[in-house]
Amino acid sequence: KRVEACEAWRVLALLTGAGGAPLAGAMCSNTQNFSAALRTALAEWAAEEDCACIDTESDSNFWRVWMISLCAAAFFSLVITVPMCFQSMQGSKAGLDDDAELEVNKQKTTIEAPQPDRKAACEHLRQTSVSVNGKWRPICGTSIGDMAVIGGPGMALYFRLLRDLGMVFIYMGALCCANIAFNTSGNFAPDNGQFLAKTTIGNIGSVLKHGANLAPSERYVVVKHSSGCQGTPVTKLTTIIGWLDFVSMVMFLVFLALFRFVIIPRIVKQTDEEDIMTKDYAVEIDNLPRKFDGMEIKDSSGRTAYEAELSQLICERVEFMRKKEGKRSAAQSDTTPVKVEEIVLVRDLGGKLTDIRALAEKEQQLDIAKYTEDIEEELWLEKKIGKIRADLNKEMAPLDELPVVRAYAILSTSMDSTRLLADYRFFTYKLVRMLCGPCCAHRKCFKGHAIRIRRAPGPSNIIWENQDLPWWNRSLRRFIIWLIFILVVIMSFVLVFSATTAAKSTDSPNDVLSGAESCDPISGASTGSEDAYRCIQSNATEWSMDFLETSASDMEKACYCDVVGYSAIFQDANLYNGICHAEVLKMAKKIGITIGATGIVVVINVVSKLLLNVLAETERPWSYSSLNSSKMVKIFALQTLNTAFVVFCVNYAPPDGVPLGSVIFLGDYHDSVRSWYSVVGAAILTNMLANAVTPAATNLSTLIISKVMRCLCARRQQHQALLLKLYTNPEFDMAVRFAQLLTTVFVTLAYSAGMPMLYLFAACYMMFTFWTDKILLLRGSQRPPQYDAMMAKDATQTMLYSIPIHCIFAIWMFGQSCTFPSAPLGGVLADYATRGMDQVNQAAAAGMTDVTATVNGTSYSMNDIGMAAANGVAERVTKEATWMFFLFLVLLVAIWVLWTLMWVLGGTIGEVFVACSALCCPTDLSKVAPTDEDGNASKGPRWVPWEKARVKIEQVSPPASYKMEAHPAFMDVKDYLGETLKVGSLKIEAEDPKSCRDWLCSFTDGMFDSCRHLTRCCRGCCCPWRKPPSRAPSDTE
């Protein structure tokens, strides 16, 4: 009636020629060419917005929205990015040539007295954490360049990637900010109480809530301003939105390409040139002889014959390169004495280093038990120590007699290590070592072996427990672990899928249908019945309150409440307390079940993550960078699958005839219809909103809990070793952080085409994580190892695959004819698309053999299914909002194929070109011996002698040694390693073989001891005030 009244007033005003402004609900544009339904809709929209009329010819308000959105986004971008831009690569590094005396930052973990000393524990906390000369680094004053000193180029690249991704997502969100404004102003999506669903493209445009059979694809976007209301068809905006999203993807691709191929090499080079690290002076030597006669004999300095002869060879080769350098260059030669400052031999312990470490830890625990007079614990530890020591004595020879696997050598200057690498540059190739080894036996070989010399990793990046593992064992482990990983992923997917499906089955879906097949989900898909109740929006709007209160069924009441929307229900007390009260309770129950299912999914992810950590460690890589890279890939794959794609599979309904479609996909949505955004889209947006805050909050809570535990439990520690353990920060887990970063990027780009708010959520995640991780690293973490750029390279290369995924989902979302109506291509592009599709149809009809598949008792023609799918894809990719994504996808696939070919050729033919290049272009003396303007040798950081560099390294990034006892992982037990490593020097006679009864008794005793120890630990945790018995047990006990 209101629409008819508005129309009548408009006609009356036109007939009488009344001047002045038109009445509310009138149309101030020429609408003669519009349909009656559209004219009625425009009049009602004007009345709802309290506008005089809706101008459909002018678009000044829309441009105003674009400009305001861009200005607001630019302002917030500056507010967020300017502070982050100050975190540049320029670090506040103290020079090595300062006159001030540098104090060595030695990690004092030696326990001088067993009495607890909180002052010494606080000093231990600062020395084992990220500090400089025993002082905390400033949080805001520590730049990304300083991160390279703290944790190597890998740490600097992680924070640089967080910062740059945050700024890129801010800019991408700025491009799509107006899209969010237009989506929020619409009312197309069903109102199920999820506000975030209103920000998706499923809500773009306005539809009539009462009457008027207006096609959904003909809906308008209405913008109100003080100058009046303006309306424009949705199809006019969809093309612009599609192009803006495409520009954002091009921006992201350019950033990833620059970061992977420009920024990473530049930071690695800059870090290598500016920061003085232990690895700059060190080389790694392998392919050494495992044994030779007399290698264990020691000289007066304590060096074995093996170490002395290998050091002599290194000095001879460096002297040779210095002479060669002096002949080719006019620069002044290096006069620093050639000296091997340290050489460390890696022995083949047969994988027993883990047992040796456990023995050292038991020795430490035994000292604690003796000091606290815990007789029962002392007896148990003595028994375990005796057993471990006996096993090691039987299986190990003395340490100096064990075979040598590889060696790490530190030279007096970093230029000497560069010279040595240049001398052995061809020996990195196995073929060269096989052919030229015998010819160079008197010059470069060691004891007849063609050794290989490479740049050594950082000493803190080495995993000592895995150094003696042969390559074939590691390859076999990696293959088996990947098979187990696939099995774990499948099991995790099944569990998460089952939990999500169970939560979904408890809710009876009641989707609001528009009546158009392209706009609605599949009817009865979730209930399995074709006769399921259909809630038609146009029918529900005609029902009166009397009918609903007296004659309507429960399904009709629920349908009416869904049509009205939960926002209107909460604002109307009569609806809330009346016919919609049961529906509100059902919604609350649904939210509770969803939260419970989410909790189950979180528990499954946590357990799976712990299992994946164990699997990655079982591969036993040589370095922490390789270990964390393996963890990163596995955890990322698991989290992305369970976070992004399980909810998609649960709610997706595949076309008929798809094998296993009814088993894997159990949803109601065959396409990205409007209610898909209200259900699936809202769930994804909610998860990503929580993801933006939860990691940062977890990091801060970890820091706060550790400080609280020290305040509460410091006085209850009875031994200094226990107090030091309490005052030791946890490790900074880079693998989990990179995996979470990859998951955020992939989920964001997969669904951001239809949900642009994901860009802003991702930007918030990057910003919050950047600052909280920085605080946690500088105040609440152990000093990290010197990571290389491996994880950053793997992460950025993996992110490149998120762009084609975005293109596929963009075609799926932007190609939906009802939710996102877009005009088909015209002109030359339309002709090319039509010709191409005709050729595909002709080739398919001429060359395809019909295959019939039977699914659930129904036969399907695979040719018909294939042709229908091809036609559906062709219809989607030939629209003005999608065609550029299709061409971009084809281009990315072509680049990927070319990249794969280059990778294959690079591993074969490419190595030949590298070897030929090294042969034709000998050592560049300008790189080995840099000179100044006068031609004299430069005395830059590369010429700093090791004695001075060692002091600086111990001050800012220890350790400055490759000895195992100097490694951070062994610092807490280094006082016990000296005696523990001598276990092989005590020979005992072999025992007689044990019978089955002896093995059974030994197993039973071990189980009894383990259970008793576990009981004591639980009692100590539950009753910490109880002191252990100080008396010795009697003979009966």
Side-chain angles (χ1 to χ4, degrees), residues 453-504:
I453 298 181
R454 295 177 294 181
R455 178 69 70 185
S460 59
N461 197 22
I462 296 174
I463 304 179
W464 272 94
E465 292 88 340
N466 303 339
Q467 291 295 302
D468 54 356
L469 195 70
W471 66 268
W472 60 266
N473 192 313
R474 184 174 291 105
S475 301
L476 181 61
R477 284 171 176 268
R478 187 178 295 114
F479 175 74
I480 296 175
I481 292 303
W482 270 105
L483 295 180
I484 300 176
F485 165 70
I486 295 174
L487 181 61
V488 170
V489 170
I490 294 174
M491 292 177 60
S492 175
F493 176 82
V494 171
L495 292 175
V496 174
F497 186 85
S498 302
T500 309
T501 305
K504 182 175 179 293

Side-chain angles (χ1 to χ4, degrees), residues 237-250 253 753 803-804 806-808 810-811 814-815 820 822-825 829 833 874 876-892:
L237 294 178
T238 53
T239 303
I240 302 176
I241 292 173
W243 273 104
L244 289 176
D245 188 76
F246 175 74
V247 170
S248 67
M249 277 302 99
V250 175
L253 176 62
I803 301 177
H806 178 89
C807 293
I808 294 173
I811 294 173
F814 290 164
F820 201 77
S822 178
L825 283 176
L829 292 177
R876 286 179 181 268
V877 300
T878 55
K879 293 187 176 183
E880 292 185 352
T882 58
W883 67 272
M884 55 278 196
F885 289 99
F886 177 71
L887 294 182
F888 194 36
L889 178 62
V890 173
L891 177 62
L892 292 175

Side-chain angles (χ1 to χ4, degrees), residues 236-351:
K236 188 176 181 180
L237 294 178
T238 53
T239 303
I240 302 176
I241 292 173
W243 273 104
L244 289 176
D245 188 76
F246 175 74
V247 170
S248 67
M249 277 302 99
V250 175
M251 180 193 307
F252 189 77
L253 176 62
V254 171
F255 161 73
L256 284 185
L258 288 176
F259 195 92
R260 171 60 183 86
F261 301 106
V262 177
I263 295 178
I264 290 180
R266 186 177 65 193
I267 290 180
V268 172
K269 181 180 179 181
Q270 180 179 349
T271 303
D272 186 59
E273 292 177 351
E274 295 182 358
D275 299 331
I276 302 299
M277 300 292 179
T278 307
K279 64 179 182 179
D280 297 332
Y281 295 79
V283 293
E284 178 186 354
I285 310 171
D286 54 5
N287 293 327
L288 291 165
R290 294 176 62 85
K291 284 185 177 182
F292 61 85
D293 295 336
M295 70 175 191
E296 71 280 359
I297 301 175
K298 294 185 178 181
D299 56 13
S300 58
S301 62
R303 281 190 174 184
T304 62
Y306 202 116
E307 296 171 343
E309 295 186 24
L310 184 59
S311 300
Q312 182 181 358
L313 175 64
I314 293 175
C315 293
E316 291 176 356
R317 298 313 306 171
V318 173
E319 289 286 357
F320 171 78
M321 291 300 294
R322 284 188 179 186
K323 294 179 181 179
K324 186 177 180 181
E325 174 186 328
K327 294 179 181 179
R328 295 186 178 182
S329 176
Q332 182 180 359
S333 60
D334 189 3
T335 58
T336 306
V338 179
K339 182 181 179 182
V340 178
E341 300 287 348
E342 178 184 276
I343 187 164
V344 177
L345 301 179
V346 179
R347 303 282 183 171
D348 187 0
L349 300 175

Side-chain angles (χ1 to χ4, degrees), residues 808-826:
I808 294 173
F809 275 86
I811 294 173
W812 184 65
M813 293 177 175
F814 290 164
Q816 221 286 330
S817 58
C818 175
T819 305
F820 201 77
S822 178
L825 283 176

Side-chain angles (χ1 to χ4, degrees), residues 150 338 407 415 622 804 898 967:
I150 295 170
V338 179
M415 296 307 301
W622 284 341
L898 181 62
H967 194 279

Side-chain angles (χ1 to χ4, degrees), residues 781-901:
S781 299
Q782 289 185 28
R783 188 182 301 276
Q786 294 293 311
Y787 293 109
D788 56 21
M790 180 184 298
M791 278 188 291
K793 290 180 180 179
D794 293 343
T796 49
Q797 287 181 185
T798 307
M799 287 181 193
L800 291 172
Y801 294 99
S802 64
I803 301 177
I805 293 177
H806 178 89
C807 293
I808 294 173
F809 275 86
I811 294 173
W812 184 65
M813 293 177 175
F814 290 164
Q816 221 286 330
S817 58
C818 175
T819 305
F820 201 77
S822 178
L825 283 176
V828 179
L829 292 177
D831 295 339
Y832 283 131
T834 303
R835 293 175 186 174
M837 196 59 205
D838 291 341
Q839 293 178 0
V840 170
N841 292 333
Q842 292 176 2
M848 290 178 61
T849 302
D850 194 9
V851 178
T852 302
T854 302
V855 179
N856 295 331
T858 306
S859 298
Y860 299 96
S861 174
M862 300 306 294
N863 285 1
D864 294 341
I865 294 175
M867 293 298 297
N871 291 327
V873 172
E875 182 182 357
R876 286 179 181 268
V877 300
T878 55
K879 293 187 176 183
E880 292 185 352
T882 58
W883 67 272
M884 55 278 196
F885 289 99
F886 177 71
L887 294 182
F888 194 36
L889 178 62
V890 173
L891 177 62
L892 292 175
V893 172
I895 294 176
W896 177 79
V897 172
L898 181 62
W899 190 358
T900 304
L901 291 176

Side-chain angles (χ1 to χ4, degrees), residues 409-426:
I410 298 179
L411 282 76
S412 55
T413 65
S414 62
M415 296 307 301
D416 286 343
S417 66
T418 305
R419 295 184 179 101
L420 190 62
L421 292 172
D423 188 26
Y424 280 87
R425 64 187 184 276
F426 295 114

